[in-house]
Amino acid sequence: MNLRTNPPPIPFIDVAAQRRRLGSAVDAAVARVLSHCQFILGPEVRAFETELAAFCGARHVVTCASGTDALVLALRALGIGPGDAVLCPSFTFCATAEVAALVGATPVFVDVDETTFNIDADGIAGAIAIAKAAGLTPKAIIPVDLFGLPADHDAVWAVAQTENLVVLDDAAQAFGATYNGRRLGTFGHATATSFFPAKPLGCYGDGGAVLTDDDGLADALRSLRVHGQGRDKYDNVRIGLASRLDTIQAAILMEKLKIFPDEIEARNNVARRYSDELGDIVMVPRVPAGCTSVWAQYTIRVGNGRRDALAAALKAEGIPTAIYYPIPLHRQQAYKHYPIGKGGVDVSDRLADEVISLPMHAYLDSATQDRIVAAVRRGLKK
Ligand SMILES: Cc1ncc(COP(=O)(O)O)c(C=O)c1O
């Protein structure tokens, strides 16, 4: 009789472990909202916005219904619309380019850097040239802080200043990360983030926020998220949306924010261990000097067509992996007609073929991580 049992499957992100740690604090926070019944823009929303602003040093935080809405609201508040070009990377989640199209503008794709996977500032001028040649007015750039790592904000800002572009940072995956000692949320003209449950700071549903130091922009955002309201919601001064963060989600996020610094440290410990144990055998992520990551993903590169075999080998051992992103945006049906910057997007294409993300969360214990590392090493030697 074969008594060998398979080891238990490993979760890719263990939301339940965090839920156990937070325990009754979240239950009590939700119960408070259930008793005061101010479900839309209740007191917890304002309190959370204040705490989040203090956490990252931004002057204003305007929460909303999702990270996608945060980007849309910011583009609308920045006055981006038809005839405008919005530069963004092709190697990102679709929402980054989707929002440009949603406000009637045209996304123009820029390639990313081979090591950081973030927008390559050297490609911006070529994208501007293509946009102008297509009769568009280059107005904005959306750098993305992919997988939790800040983009090169100084380099992006320098080109944006020269070219007169507004900068909207897409920090959906990287809230909490730092660049030159400052947390994201304070770079560019505005920053958008997401509280989708799988994000480093996630809620128990959809949620997002725009962060900015600009008073006028913050006023416009607060108006836009409530149907473009003026003095009140029956005074409509602009075309807006219904996009608020639910009070219950704000209450949950306040509890999560308390443990967030600790979780960021735990994620960094997990990432360090992966890199120490795998760096000799595969291309592991590199964090540039002056940056910290919050490790939304821990993503290695496996070339020569060996990636899918590795994923299959790990799956057979109960270890999940994910591929972000198998098809870059410039190849997606919905986006392939949009312009690509002069330099092309070869790196994006290459990354799409080679990246693979390993389980990553703040509650990944050493024994489980050892199991993943051993399986990856075995899988790569096959
Ligand atoms: C880079 C990026 N931008 C925007 C978003 C959109 O956020 P949400 O899912 O909250 O709308 C995401 C979410 O996955 C993302 O990863």
Side-chain angles (χ1 to χ4, degrees):
M1 194 166 65
N2 182 3
L3 289 178
R4 243 184 62 194
T5 51
N6 286 331
I10 292 171
F12 188 70
I13 294 175
D14 197 347
V15 179
Q18 187 202 49
R19 174 74 190 98
R20 284 193 293 278
R21 173 176 176 185
L22 288 164
S24 59
V26 164
D27 299 355
V30 172
R32 281 193 293 277
V33 180
L34 295 182
S35 66
H36 69 51
C37 291
Q38 295 177 62
F39 300 119
I40 301 293
L41 295 181
E44 285 81 357
V45 173
R46 179 49 62 87
F48 173 61
E49 290 177 343
T50 304
E51 287 185 9
L52 206 68
F55 178 81
C56 70
R59 197 168 151 83
H60 302 281
V61 173
V62 181
T63 53
C64 61
S66 70
T68 307
D69 275 9
L71 289 163
V72 169
L73 288 166
L75 287 177
R76 295 280 301 280
L78 289 162
I80 311 299
D84 297 337
V86 176
L87 280 51
C88 69
S90 175
F91 189 64
T92 177
F93 183 61
C94 64
T96 312
E98 186 179 43
V99 294
L102 277 173
V103 300
T106 302
V108 179
F109 295 117
V110 181
D111 211 0
V112 293
D113 177 80
E114 190 87 47
T115 23
T116 64
F117 308 168
N118 283 326
I119 198 161
D120 181 357
D122 290 341
I124 299 174
I128 288 172
I130 292 288
K132 285 183 180 163
L136 301 164
T137 311
K139 279 267 186 74
I141 179 161
I142 310 184
V144 178
D145 309 297
L146 203 76
F147 300 157
L149 179 71
D152 188 352
H153 287 287
D154 283 349
V156 170
W157 184 251
V159 189
Q161 289 288 93
T162 315
E163 303 286 350
N164 219 6
L165 301 176
V166 295
V167 179
L168 169 58
D169 183 22
D170 181 347
Q173 302 183 4
F175 187 73
T178 64
Y179 180 86
N180 288 343
R182 263 163 58 202
R183 286 212 201 267
L184 296 183
T186 57
F187 296 90
H189 296 87
T191 300
T193 196
S194 163
F195 304 123
F196 186 81
K199 298 291 189 248
L201 180 64
C203 59
Y204 292 160
D206 277 311
V210 187
L211 304 93
T212 183
D213 287 343
D214 183 320
D215 297 348
L217 205 56
D219 284 346
L221 288 161
R222 289 195 188 97
S223 162
L224 281 165
R225 75 175 167 181
V226 190
H227 302 287
Q229 73 173 9
R231 285 184 311 279
D232 57 55
K233 72 175 166 185
Y234 301 112
D235 174 36
N236 309 116
V237 295
R238 44 173 77 79
I239 306 293
L241 285 82
S243 184
R244 281 88 41 147
L245 179 70
D246 291 345
T247 310
I248 286 179
Q249 300 300 347
I252 292 165
L253 281 162
M254 275 203 286
E255 294 307 318
K256 290 203 173 195
L257 191 57
K258 289 180 191 159
I259 61 166
F260 191 41
D262 189 46
E263 290 187 334
I264 293 175
E265 200 183 320
R267 283 173 174 278
N268 272 281
N269 291 337
V270 170
R272 206 170 299 119
R273 238 171 140 248
Y274 269 141
S275 294
D276 289 349
E277 303 290 329
L278 294 172
D280 63 320
I281 194 167
V282 72
M283 214 184 297
V284 294
R286 201 177 62 76
V287 176
C291 289
T292 62
S293 175
V294 287
W295 301 103
Q297 306 300 336
Y298 184 89
T299 304
I300 56 176
R301 281 180 73 176
V302 181
N304 303 325
R306 291 155 61 228
R307 181 201 41 202
D308 294 347
L310 175 66
L314 293 177
K315 190 172 176 204
E317 297 201 35
I319 298 167
T321 56
I323 291 165
Y324 307 106
Y325 297 92
I327 308 175
L329 296 184
H330 67 277
R331 292 194 185 279
Q332 295 281 359
Q333 186 181 330
Y335 298 95
K336 62 185 176 203
H337 59 288
Y338 289 119
I340 291 173
K342 247 185 192 166
V345 280
D346 291 356
V347 179
S348 302
D349 277 330
R350 220 163 26 246
L351 292 177
D353 285 341
E354 296 184 3
V355 291
I356 178 165
S357 304
L358 303 178
M360 163 55 79
H361 56 87
Y363 303 92
L364 190 60
D365 62 79
S366 312
T368 309
Q369 196 176 9
D370 288 345
R371 205 181 122 196
I372 299 167
V373 165
V376 171
R377 295 189 75 88
R378 263 194 306 279
L380 286 170
K381 280 180 186 151
K382 274 185 186 156

